[in-house]
Amino acid sequence: MRRFASLRRQADFARLRQRGRRTATPNLTIYRGQGTPEGERPLVGITVSTAVGKAVLRNTVKRRIAACVHDLIPPDPQLRLLVVARPSTASATYSDLHAELARALA
């Protein structure tokens, strides 16, 4: 079982982009915010645009980011996180992404 649930609604993505605290790394942009204490797990959204590459590459990047988030996310049920991949993410290794997310979430 994953340690986080997925953001589903477009309004939640937009709210995090507008009101969340932004952290930029070479390969990722991370928006962090607080939500309501209703849920039992943190909510995470992962966005990978077509600028990163074709569908197979975008899905690979999404899976890598999700695995990193699963390893690093704190168990705070009020946490809302949006991870936006930049085009340079396509050439980044798993260890690069893991290190960047660890620094951003610390």
Side-chain angles (χ1 to χ4, degrees):
M1 178 180 211
R2 290 190 346 195
R3 293 183 186 176
F4 61 88
S6 296
L7 281 174
R8 298 280 180 199
R9 298 182 324 153
Q10 184 65 30
D12 293 335
F13 280 85
R15 189 177 310 114
L16 267 176
R17 281 185 191 262
Q18 290 173 356
R19 299 183 190 157
R21 212 173 72 211
R22 185 173 72 97
T23 305
T25 66
N27 295 311
L28 303 169
T29 302
I30 299 147
Y31 297 90
R32 190 176 190 164
Q34 292 292 338
T36 58
E38 304 166 350
E40 57 190 42
R41 296 184 288 174
L43 286 176
V44 177
I46 300 171
T47 303
V48 183
S49 72
T50 55
V52 173
K54 295 196 180 221
V56 173
L57 183 58
R58 289 195 311 267
N59 288 329
T60 301
V61 168
K62 281 183 209 174
R63 285 192 304 271
R64 283 182 184 169
I65 292 172
C68 292
V69 170
H70 178 75
D71 288 344
L72 298 170
I73 196 162
D76 180 13
Q78 292 184 354
L79 178 67
R80 302 296 181 260
L81 194 69
L82 175 60
V83 182
V84 181
R86 293 182 175 182
S88 61
T89 309
S91 60
T93 63
Y94 175 82
S95 58
D96 292 340
L97 294 176
H98 196 274
E100 285 183 21
L101 269 170
R103 274 180 294 198
L105 292 176

